Amino acid sequence: MVELCAHRWTITAVVLACLTLIGSLLIHGLQWPSLVAFRAQMPDPKPVDITNITTIVLWYWPFGQTAALKGNVCSERFGIPNCILVDDQSLFSRADFVIFHNRELINGQQRLPVHLSRPQKQRWVWYSLESPVHNGNLRPFAGHFNCTMSYRHDADIHGPYGRLVPQDFGTGLTVEDFIPKDKSSLACWVVSNYAPHHKRTEVYNKLKTIIPVDVYGGAVNRRLDDKTLRSTISRCYFYLSFENSISRDYITEKFWYNALVGGAVPVVLGPRREQYEAVAPKDSFIHVDDFRSLEELGEFLRKLAKDKQRYASYFNWRLKYTVEYFKDWREEFCRICPKVSSLQTQKVYNDLDAWERK
Ligand SMILES: *[C@@H]1O[C@H](CO)[C@@H](O)[C@H](O)[C@H]1NC(C)=O
Ligand SMILES: *[C@@H]1O[C@H](CO)[C@@H](O)[C@H](O)[C@H]1NC(C)=O
C-alpha cells in the first residue's frame, strides 16, 4: 500500500513536470523569434539592466515648441544611456519624472494632473529658464513639486544657458586666431523685448549718447536670423549682454551665445561680477558695475578697441575652453538621467515661491 502510494505520487510528479515543461515551451517558444531579432539589433551583447532605466514624461512642450522623440533620443542623439524621454501623458504611471514647464502653468494653458494617483517614487519637476520676475505667482504650486530645474545653481537639476568646457586645442594656436578680423562696429546690441522700465533700457539710452551703439532685433525692426546674428556680432568689438532683469545666476544666451560664441567681448549687465566669475574667467567680460559712471565705461571701451594687445587679452580663455550652450530642450531633459543618483531621495517643495525668492 505504501509502495503503491509512492508510485502514484511519482507518476503525478512526472506528469506535472511534463505539463510545466510543455507550458513553458509554449509561452517562451512563441516569444523566441522576437527576442532573437531584438538581440540582433543590440550592439552590446550585455543584458540591459531594465531596473536602472529612468523614464521621463514631458507633460507638454515648453512654449509649444515640439521636437521629435522617435527612437531612443537620449542615447542615440545625446549619448545618454538608460534614459527614456517621452511626451506621452498616458505613460504617467510609469514615469520616474514628470516635467512641467512653468510658463504654461502660470498662464493657465496647462494644469498639474493632481487628480491622477501618483506613484510614490515619481518626481514632479518644476522647470523654468526665466528669472523670478517673469515666473508669475508660484504659490498655487506649493507642495506639488519634488525637483526644481533651472539655470540657478541651487536648483536640483542645474541647466544653465551655457558653460565653458575645458578643451585642449594643442599647440600652434594663438589668441589672434580666435578674434574675428573684420571688426567695424564699436558696440552692438540685439534686443527683441524692449521695455522702458528695464534697467538695461535706461543704461542703453545713456550709453548711446557716449559711444555709438548699433542696435538690432525685433524691437527696432532689424530682425536677424541665426546666421546673420553671428556674422553681425562678430563685426562688433563689444556686445551688450544686458539681461532683461537682474537676478541671481541669471546669465543667459546674451552672454554665452551672442557675445562669446559670436566673437565679441561681452559688456554685461546682470548679476554681480562674482557670479559671472563663478562661470567664466574674470578677463573674459566687462561688467557695467566695474565703472563709476557710464561715461567712464564708454571711454574705457573706446580706448580698449584701439589697443590691439589689450583687447586680445579678453580672448585668452579661448585657448582653454569652448562654449557649450543651450541648444535643444530634449538634451536638457535627457540630462536629468545621469543626475538621478545625486538627487535627494525624498523632497517636496512646500513653498516653491519662497525658494524662488531666496
Ligand atoms: C545605475 O546606473 C548608474 C550609472 O549609469 C550606476 O552608477 C548605478 O550603480 C546603477 N544602479 C543600479 C541599481 O544598477
Ligand atoms: C514628491 O512629492 C509628493 C508631494 O506632492 C510626495 O508625496 C512624494 O513623496 C514626493 N516624492 C519624492 C520621491 O520625493
Side-chain angles (χ1 to χ4, degrees):
M1 189 68 188
V2 175
E3 242 171 57
L4 194 62
C5 266
H7 188 60
R8 274 212 192 134
W9 278 113
T10 315
I11 291 173
T12 314
V14 168
V15 168
L16 274 176
C18 283
L19 283 176
T20 313
L21 186 65
I22 291 165
S24 97
L25 271 176
L26 276 175
I27 294 163
H28 293 104
L30 289 175
Q31 287 178 358
W32 277 345
S34 54
L35 203 62
V36 169
F38 177 66
R39 286 256 163 82
Q41 289 167 4
M42 303 279 297
D44 187 349
K46 273 183 280 174
V48 181
D49 176 10
I50 53 158
T51 59
N52 205 11
I53 290 181
T54 302
T55 302
I56 302 171
V57 172
L58 176 62
W59 204 245
Y60 47 86
W61 287 88
F63 308 109
Q65 295 172 0
T66 58
L69 292 177
K70 284 209 193 71
N72 189 341
V73 174
C74 294
S75 78
E76 283 161 23
R77 234 172 208 277
F78 308 114
I80 297 171
N82 296 341
C83 189
I84 295 173
L85 174 65
V86 292
D87 57 3
D88 181 350
Q89 295 188 349
S90 74
L91 296 175
F92 176 81
S93 64
R94 286 166 47 189
D96 298 299
F97 291 86
V98 185
I99 301 174
F100 302 93
H101 183 244
N102 183 61
R103 173 64 62 90
E104 291 76 14
L105 292 178
I106 58 167
N107 70 15
Q109 270 173 26
Q110 297 284 345
R111 282 165 182 278
L112 291 176
V114 288
H115 58 286
L116 296 179
S117 116
R118 192 166 156 179
Q120 248 316 301
K121 57 156 199 174
Q122 187 177 86
R123 291 172 169 114
W124 285 14
V125 180
W126 176 85
Y127 178 54
S128 175
L129 281 179
E130 300 294 335
S131 69
V133 289
H134 295 116
N135 276 335
N137 177 14
L138 300 183
R139 276 180 287 269
F141 309 126
H144 289 305
F145 289 100
N146 308 97
C147 296
T148 49
M149 180 172 180
S150 98
Y151 60 83
R152 273 228 333 234
H153 280 94
D154 62 348
D156 300 294
I157 299 154
H158 177 218
Y161 277 87
R163 61 195 185 105
L164 294 183
V165 184
Q167 177 98 13
D168 183 6
F169 290 104
T171 50
L173 285 174
T174 68
V175 149
E176 305 292 339
D177 297 317
F178 292 99
I179 307 177
K181 295 289 167 285
D182 51 349
K183 298 278 184 201
S184 53
S185 293
L186 186 62
C188 300
W189 189 32
V190 177
V191 57
S192 48
N193 168 17
Y194 185 90
H197 69 273
H198 285 164
K199 177 162 182 218
R200 66 182 182 190
T201 307
E202 188 194 318
V203 173
Y204 160 72
N205 279 330
K206 180 97 197 276
L207 193 61
K208 75 172 187 210
T209 66
I210 303 161
I211 56 165
V213 179
D214 290 334
V215 186
Y216 303 88
V220 289
N221 243 330
R222 289 173 89 186
R223 277 173 217 283
L224 303 173
D225 60 27
D226 186 56
K227 202 160 153 251
T228 44
L229 177 86
R230 295 270 293 267
S231 63
T232 302
I233 293 175
S234 78
R235 285 195 293 273
C236 313
Y237 283 91
F238 303 102
Y239 181 80
L240 305 185
S241 297
F242 287 5
E243 301 302 349
N244 62 29
S245 46
I246 314 288
S247 173
R248 170 144 76 112
D249 297 335
Y250 189 59
I251 301 173
T252 71
E253 82 288 345
K254 298 168 182 70
F255 177 74
W256 298 108
Y257 186 74
N258 295 16
L260 295 189
V261 175
V265 173
V267 177
V268 306
L269 176 80
R272 294 193 317 274
R273 173 169 263 282
E274 301 88 83
Q275 298 205 351
Y276 284 90
E277 287 186 13
V279 294
K282 59 174 188 280
D283 60 353
S284 61
F285 62 93
I286 293 159
H287 201 298
V288 170
D289 295 349
D290 294 344
F291 303 88
R292 270 174 304 182
S293 67
L294 292 174
E295 283 82 4
E296 259 182 39
L297 168 64
E299 188 58 24
F300 178 82
L301 298 181
R302 225 189 264 282
K303 280 194 182 140
L304 186 54
K306 290 197 189 112
D307 184 342
K308 211 165 171 261
Q309 211 176 343
R310 187 147 183 232
Y311 180 75
S313 73
Y314 281 83
F315 290 81
N316 280 338
W317 63 272
R318 292 225 159 220
L319 292 169
K320 289 188 278 185
Y321 301 99
T322 51
V323 184
E324 224 176 58
Y325 54 90
F326 177 98
K327 286 193 197 77
D328 194 318
W329 301 113
R330 295 172 297 183
E331 187 171 12
E332 294 301 302
F333 300 140
C334 292
R335 282 195 183 147
I336 293 175
C337 291
K339 292 182 180 157
V340 173
S341 59
S342 64
L343 293 175
Q344 237 169 281
T345 49
Q346 186 69 30
K347 188 169 186 176
V348 182
Y349 278 85
N350 286 317
D351 195 344
L352 187 63
D353 191 62
W355 176 80
E356 239 228 335
R357 265 152 235 293
K358 249 199 326 200

